[in-house]
Structures are given as C-alpha cells and as structure tokens.
Amino acid sequence: MALTPREFSFATPADLGGFGNYRRLCQVAKLEPIPGGWGLLHCTHNDTGARVTLATEDVDYVRLLATGAKTDAIAGLMIPEGKFTQQRDGWPDPDWLR
C-alpha cells in the first residue's frame, strides 16, 4: 500500500491552544493523550485516493518532514517502518473543536 503525504499537523497542547483542546482531539481521533503529543501525517492512498492519517509520538520528526516539504528536500524520502504507530481512516474534521 503506497501512500503520498499531503499535509502535516501537530496534536500537542501547545499547538492546539491548551490541554482541553488536545484531550478533545485525542478523544475524537482515538489517540491516547501522551505528554509530548502526536505528529500527524495526512496522506492519500496512491491507488484509491482514500485519505488516511498516520500518527507518531515523534512530533519533531513530523516537524522536520513539514519543514523539508516546503523546500522539496524530502522528495522520495522513505519513512522508516514503525515510525508511525497509529493509523486512522480519513483526515481530521476542521470543525472538531466546535
């Protein structure tokens, strides 16, 4: 199953404006609230176009990917197996905090 990264986001208390918002996102996304938060990689399946969200506890890794994507420095990058420990169908709804 080949995936193409499309967007990045960060599920951390600092990025979401506090612990309440962070806990709410974790509840909606069915992620365990962990102290450092989650780095999210929003992808599409190459064959079907279906959306999928990958999550890792390594938020800094996703920040690095996001920075590299702005300069095309990550073109063709192979993500290490096991780096993203959680996978969810779809992308987060932008209205999840309402």
Side-chain angles (χ1 to χ4, degrees):
M1 162 179 63
L3 299 173
T4 299
R6 301 292 180 187
E7 297 180 20
F8 309 90
S9 63
F10 308 98
T12 71
D15 289 294
L16 295 171
F19 285 99
N21 291 340
Y22 171 63
R23 283 190 295 272
R24 193 171 327 158
L25 176 114
C26 286
Q27 181 180 21
V28 169
K30 296 182 177 87
L31 292 169
E32 182 70 27
I34 56 175
W38 295 92
L40 305 175
L41 181 60
H42 310 290
C43 305
T44 54
H45 285 281
N46 290 355
D47 295 335
T48 66
R51 294 177 171 189
V52 64
T53 297
L54 305 177
T56 181
E57 296 178 28
D58 191 346
V59 178
D60 290 335
Y61 181 76
V62 177
R63 289 193 196 283
L64 180 67
L65 290 178
T67 300
K70 292 177 185 175
T71 63
D72 290 331
I74 62 167
L77 176 73
M78 298 295 293
I79 295 171
E81 189 170 333
K83 178 59 84 175
F84 289 87
T85 58
Q86 306 289 319
Q87 179 175 324
R88 303 292 181 265
D89 290 336
W91 292 354
D93 183 339
D95 297 326
W96 63 270
L97 283 177
R98 294 183 188 171

